[in-house]
Amino acid sequence: MILAMMVPVALAAFSPWLAYRGPAYIIGGFAGIVGLALLLAQPLLAAGLLPGARPAVERRWHRWLGWAILTAIAIHVGGLWITSPPDTVDALLFVAPTTFSIYGVTAMWAGIVTAVLVAARRRMGLRYGTWRLVHNAVALVVVIGTVVHAVQIQGAMEPVSKWALCAAVLAAALITVLGLRVVAPLVRRARG
Amino acid sequence: MQTPFYTRRSFLVSAGLASVAVLAGGSFSSRAFAQSGLAPTQSMRGGSNNYRPNAPMVEKLGNGFWVHGTVRRAGDGAPLKNVRIQIWAATTLGGERAPQNHGSVLTGPDGAFRLETAQIVPNFGQPHAHLAYDDADFQTVFLRPVMPSPEDTSVRADFVLAPA
């Protein structure tokens, strides 16, 4: 698990293109890669699917990892903004020539919505069941947006490890959501 | 370092657009051609990003990579000589905003221009160059051609300019 997350990051560190980039670009780029890697653990922690830890502990980790992912997004966008303000502004305004920026910025906004939902659940008076469904839906937007964003980019990531990580991230999210929302209720009903 | 997904996708998109253009635009474009001739090139999205106006005239910016193309007049398609084209890109020498990656060249009698640069490297997710026509005689055009592969050693961009 840790290895699956670290290998793609490590391989990207050997990209020959890094030599031609400034520190803000390198840091911003790696914040994106780390954010993608964190998305692998995030749903599994939520569902308590990682072996060796108590569910309550995994929940706490899930919450911390959520803030870590938001921090990664902030560093990613900030680093790119320092590197090239016009390209970053184009992306944020959805007018960039690259389709991957549309997916990336959509995922960013979904991440921000997730944070607002987490912070304001009680104030908004959402029932926990409703809130979980909304949270799952928005989280899926984060995952799918990020994965499509990543696979289209020609950047520092080594292609095979990038595709493998993206497939794993997508699988983890789908298994978690389908498992919690479809399979578990069916099992409960069958036993019912 | 190209991802297969990207290649297939861009192929499908361009093939799709091309077939739409052929199917829908065939009669229209031939009529437009007969009336007003060669249409001017439109600026591309993001083409003017990190533009530094009046890049110095240069012999070359580096070795091993060629940015080239032609400049013609809208309507009759006549080649335009002594037109200044400004070129910049992220290369092995540094980023898109680095002054050493910005330079200008003039077109020859045949309307062609070419500039040798350092190898262009992917920047913001795509290997691409920037070119500008930004002088008084014609309308300003900013182009942003994308290389099909980051290993390519040349990239081409053609201008058709409309009078200012």
Side-chain angles (χ1 to χ4, degrees), chain A residues 103-130:
Chain A
Y103 289 97
V105 173
T106 302
M108 177 196 81
W109 281 113
I112 292 169
V113 168
T114 309
V116 171
L117 281 171
V118 168
R121 176 167 69 87
R122 291 207 179 82
R123 235 167 301 163
M124 290 164 73
L126 279 176
R127 277 183 25 243
Y128 186 57
T130 316

Side-chain angles (χ1 to χ4, degrees), chain A residues 17 20-21 25 80 82-88 90 94-100 151-155 157 159 162-163, chain B residues 1-6 9 45-46 49-50 91-92 94-97 121-127 144 148-151:
Chain A
W17 293 330
Y20 318 126
R21 297 181 176 183
Y25 194 2
L80 294 181
I82 291 169
T83 306
S84 177
D87 285 315
T88 307
D90 282 356
F94 294 102
V95 295
T98 45
T99 41
F100 57 74
V151 294
Q152 289 189 51
I153 286 174
Q154 292 173 283
M157 289 192 83
K162 176 168 76 176
W163 278 82
Chain B
M1 296 286 275
Q2 209 175 354
T3 57
F5 174 80
Y6 185 76
R9 188 172 170 284
R45 273 188 180 187
N49 287 357
N50 297 318
T91 72
T92 54
E96 222 167 59
R97 294 207 281 173
V121 293
N123 190 51
F124 272 64
Q126 285 182 332
R144 183 189 174 280
S149 159
E151 270 90 45

Side-chain angles (χ1 to χ4, degrees), chain B residues 94-140:
Chain B
E96 222 167 59
R97 294 207 281 173
Q100 66 267 31
N101 278 332
H102 290 243
S104 296
V105 288
L106 294 178
T107 55
D110 56 351
F113 66 89
R114 58 191 226 134
L115 176 65
E116 191 175 13
T117 69
Q119 176 67 40
I120 289 182
V121 293
N123 190 51
F124 272 64
Q126 285 182 332
H128 65 276
H130 291 268
L131 299 93
Y133 170 83
D134 187 22
D135 285 309
D137 295 342
F138 298 92
Q139 288 172 31
T140 298

